[in-house]
Amino acid sequence: MSKLVAFAAIQGGYKVISQVEGQYQKALETFDASTKISFGNTAYYLPVIYSLLGIKVETLEDLKKPLAFARGLLPPHVKGKNNLPYLGPLLDAGMAAIFGYEIMEALRILNEPDFYTFTEDPDVESGKIWVGPADDTILRKRGVEFVDGSAPGFAAIVGAAPTPEIAKNIVEDYQKKSLYIFCAANHNNTSVIQQLVDQDIQVGWNTRIVPFGPDISSAVFALGFANRAAMTFGGVQPGDHRKMLMYNKERIFAFVNALGDIGTEWGVAAAGCVNWGFPTLADTDIPEILPTGICTYEHVVANVPHDEICQKSVEVRGLKVSISDIEIPCAFGPAFEGERVRGGDLHSQMGGGKTQCTELVKRAEMSEIEDGKVIIVGKDIPDLKEGETLPLGIFIQIAGREFQEDFEPILERQIHHLVNYIQGIMHIGQRDISWVRVGKNAVDKGFTLKDIGVVLHAKFHQEFQKIVDKVQVTLYTQKEDVAKLTKTARAEYKTRDERVDKMTDEDVETYYSCSLCQSFAPNHVCTVSPERTGLCGAYNWMDCRAAFEINPTGPNQPIEKGECLDPVLGQWKGVNDFVFKASRGAVTHYNFYSLVVDPMTTCGCCECIAAMLPSCNGIMTVNREFAGETPSGMKFTTLAGVMGGGASSPGFVGHSKYNITQRKFIKGDGGLLRMVWMPKMLKEEIKDRIDKYGEETGYPDFYNMIADETVGTTEEEIMPFLEEKGHPALSMDSLIG
C-alpha cells in the first residue's frame, strides 16, 4: 500500500477531528450543555454513533463521549520511509472522521435549523436543494427496498462532474439499474445535484436522486441511512459494530464515486467507507488500494473514465443488477417454449441443414466487452424476403469475477430454451447444428436478430447473477464470418469433450439428469454419465456437475445411480427411479448401452440417431447435417419425427457425435464394432477417434471398413462392401434374438 495513501487519510482524520472539536467548543460557549441535539424525526439519535457505539446522543453534553472516542481512534502519524503494509490505521482514521462528520452535521443543524429541508423533495424554486438526513418516515418507506431487492444498492456521489451532461449520463446510468444516488459535497463551486437541477432534472427521494448536503460531511447521512436500515429491517442491535458493518458489506451494496480533486478530507471519508465494505472509485489520479481485504474486491480505484464509472462501480462492489424488463416486440416467456413454427407460418430460417448455424459462449475480461451491447454483422431479418435463409453465428462473451471457463457450455446450452421463450421463434439443436425458425407473426411485430441478443443478455443476468457481470452478444450472418466462428467453436467443443476422456461410469456414484428439452419432448429425460454424454452433444458429465453447482434447482440434477441391475446393458435402480418420476410415469426404465433393448429416450435435439440394420447384423448412425437417404430407409428428419418426442424406441437411439467413440457406446449390443454405415462427413469429422478405437480393439483399418453414402444407401448396396472388407459385425452374434 502506498505511504501517500496512509499519510493523506491519517492527516485527514486529524484535520476533521480538530475541526469538529473547535466547533463543539464554540457550541458549548453559545448553548447550554443540556441543549437538545438530533437529526429530526428519528428514533435513532445520531444513527452512525448510535448503531456502532450504542451511545444515545440527545444533548450537547452527550457529544463529548463519542468525540473523545473518535479522537482515541486516530492512529500515530506516518513517519519515516517505510510504507504502511496494512489497512488497520486507515480504517481507524476513517472511522474517526465519520464520527466527526456526524457530530459536525449535528452541530450544523443546531446552529442553522433551517439549513436542510428535511423533506423527500427539495425546494428547488427557493434554492433550498439540500434535504439533509432522512427522517424515520422516509426510512420506513425507502429502507425496505434495500431489503426486498427492489433497490439493489446505492451510489454515493461526492463532488461534481466536469460537465452537466456527464453528470446527467452517470446518474441516469445508475437509475436504469434501479440504484439510489446519494449526493454530497461540492467541487469547483458546483455539485452533481446543482448540475442536474440546471438541466431541469427532478431530484429527491421520489426519483432516487437524493441531495443530502453541500459538504463532504453530509455524506455521513448515507452511512446513517444504511445503518438505520440494518437496525430497522435487519434486526442488528445498536452497539453491535461488527455485525452492523458485516451486514452492510453483505447486504447493502453501496459504493462511492468521487468526482473531482480529492483532498485529505475526502480521502479520509473514503477510508471511513471502507469499514462498511463500500469501495471508492475516482475520476482523478489518486493513490489506489487495489488488494482485496475489507471490501469485496478493490478498495480505492483511480482514473475511471466517466463513461465506464457506472459499470466499473457495479463490478468492484460485486453488485448483481437485475434486469426486469426485456424490451422486444414479441411476447416472451416459458409459455412459448414448446411453440412450433410450421411450414405455413415460416418467414425465414437459419441452420437446420439449410445453412450453417453455430453457437459459442466464451469468457472475456471485464475491459474487453460492454454490458448489454448487441452487434449484428451482416443482414438482418428485415432484409429477407419470405422463405429466404441466412447463416447464423451467435457469439456470446461473458465477463464476471466468479465466471470460469467451465461454465461456458452451461450458459451456451441455455440459448436453446431462452430463444424458444420468444413468441413466434423456434430453436432446435445446439453447438454447430442449431436451427432457428422465425414465424411470420414475429416479423410482423418487428422481430429482428437483435432481439435474440437482448433476450440472452437479460436472462443471463437474471438466471446467473452469481457469476455473470457483463454480457455482450455478436450475431454474424455473413457466410465467411459464420464459417470462421464455426472453426473456432469446433476446437472449443473438442477441448471440452476431451475433459472426460479418462473417466469411466464406474468412477462415479452420481450421474446427472438434463430436462432442458422437455418442452418439445415431455417424456424425455436425458441422463448424462462420464461415458455417455448428453445426446445433444452440448453437455458432458463435468458440464452437468458445474451446471448443478451454479443452479441447484435447474435442469441438471444429481442422480444417485444406486444398485447396478445390468452392467452390460447399463441399467441402475437409482436412475430408473429418477426417470420414472421425471417422466411422470411414462418411462419406467432404460439402458445406457443399448439401442436394441429398452434404449434411452430421445428428443429432437440429438446430434445423431443410430438405427439397427438387421440384414447387416450391425447398426448405422446419421448426423443432423446429413440430408440424404440412409440404409434404414429414413432420412434424419424422418427418424427424428418418429422417435424424437421422448420415446424409448427399441432399434433406434439418439446420441451425440462424441458418444460414438466413447468406450461404452452400445456396449450391450457389441460396441462400436457393430457400426457398418455412417455419412462420409460424419466419419471424416471423427476419423481420429475412430482410428484410435480401431487400434485399441485390434482393427487398425476399422475406419475404412465403415460404409458411407458413396458405397450405398441401402442394406443391399452396402452388404458386398462389408463382406469385402471383412467387417467384424458380420461375424458377431445376431443382433436379433
Side-chain angles (χ1 to χ4, degrees), residues 668-680:
D669 307 324
L672 183 58
L673 293 179
R674 286 280 190 186
M675 185 68 68
V676 299
W677 188 93
M678 68 170 69
K680 185 176 180 63

Side-chain angles (χ1 to χ4, degrees), residues 244-255:
M244 176 62 66
L245 296 176
M246 289 302 297
Y247 181 93
N248 275 279
K249 177 182 176 180
E250 295 170 358
R251 299 287 299 276
I252 307 295
F253 290 92
F255 48 84

Side-chain angles (χ1 to χ4, degrees), residues 46-166:
L46 303 190
V48 173
I49 291 171
Y50 179 55
S51 60
L52 295 178
L53 303 180
I55 298 174
K56 300 177 181 179
V57 174
E58 299 179 86
T59 67
L60 195 58
E61 176 71 21
D62 293 337
L63 287 174
K64 193 174 292 184
K65 187 175 180 180
L67 185 53
F69 186 88
R71 167 64 71 175
L73 278 176
L74 292 174
H77 287 284
V78 176
K79 298 179 181 179
K81 298 181 179 179
N82 295 328
N83 291 347
L84 213 60
Y86 53 92
L87 279 170
L90 273 77
L91 298 178
D92 289 343
M95 187 62 81
I98 296 300
F99 290 145
Y101 281 144
E102 190 165 51
I103 295 170
M104 193 179 292
E105 286 296 330
L107 292 173
R108 185 208 295 271
I109 293 169
L110 173 64
N111 289 304
E112 301 178 75
D114 296 327
F115 186 86
Y116 295 122
T117 66
F118 300 102
T119 57
E120 278 202 282
D121 296 311
D123 187 357
V124 176
E125 290 186 5
S126 66
K128 295 189 69 173
I129 62 175
W130 305 110
V131 299
D135 66 17
D136 284 355
T137 302
I138 295 174
L139 172 69
R140 284 190 292 270
K141 182 179 179 181
R142 304 289 177 176
V144 69
E145 297 176 356
F146 290 90
V147 179
D148 66 16
S150 55
F154 67 80
I157 302 181
V158 296
T163 67
E165 291 75 19
I166 291 174

Side-chain angles (χ1 to χ4, degrees), residues 99-307:
F99 290 145
Y101 281 144
E102 190 165 51
I103 295 170
M104 193 179 292
E105 286 296 330
L107 292 173
R108 185 208 295 271
I109 293 169
L110 173 64
N111 289 304
E112 301 178 75
D114 296 327
F115 186 86
Y116 295 122
T117 66
F118 300 102
T119 57
E120 278 202 282
D121 296 311
D123 187 357
V124 176
E125 290 186 5
S126 66
K128 295 189 69 173
I129 62 175
W130 305 110
V131 299
D135 66 17
D136 284 355
T137 302
I138 295 174
L139 172 69
R140 284 190 292 270
K141 182 179 179 181
R142 304 289 177 176
V144 69
E145 297 176 356
F146 290 90
V147 179
D148 66 16
S150 55
F154 67 80
I157 302 181
V158 296
T163 67
E165 291 75 19
I166 291 174
K168 177 177 180 286
N169 291 338
I170 291 173
V171 168
E172 287 184 344
D173 210 352
Y174 286 131
Q175 284 182 303
K176 291 174 184 177
K177 292 176 168 56
S178 301
L179 295 166
Y180 274 83
I181 303 97
F182 293 159
C183 299
N186 282 270
H187 175 64
N188 287 339
N189 298 314
T190 188
S191 65
V192 164
I193 289 297
Q194 189 62 57
Q195 290 175 319
L196 297 176
V197 169
D198 290 344
Q199 297 177 87
D200 295 323
I201 295 171
Q202 185 179 351
V203 300
W205 283 95
N206 288 325
T207 58
R208 297 193 175 188
I209 308 170
V210 184
F212 274 137
D215 302 313
I216 189 63
S217 56
S218 57
V220 76
F221 297 147
L223 300 177
F225 184 86
N227 282 18
R228 289 160 68 194
M231 290 186 285
T232 304
F233 305 107
V236 182
Q237 296 302 307
D240 191 346
H241 62 274
R242 186 181 187 281
K243 189 173 182 180
M244 176 62 66
L245 296 176
M246 289 302 297
Y247 181 93
N248 275 279
K249 177 182 176 180
E250 295 170 358
R251 299 287 299 276
I252 307 295
F253 290 92
F255 48 84
V256 179
N257 284 170
L259 305 180
D261 298 330
I262 296 180
T264 57
E265 291 165 279
W266 283 25
V268 74
C273 290
V274 168
N275 286 281
W276 274 255
F278 301 167
T280 293
L281 294 92
D283 62 352
T284 54
D285 187 17
I286 63 171
E288 296 184 310
I289 306 177
L290 298 180
T292 57
I294 307 301
C295 295
T296 304
Y297 299 115
E298 294 86 358
H299 300 81
V300 178
V301 182
N303 289 322
V304 182
H306 295 113
D307 60 352

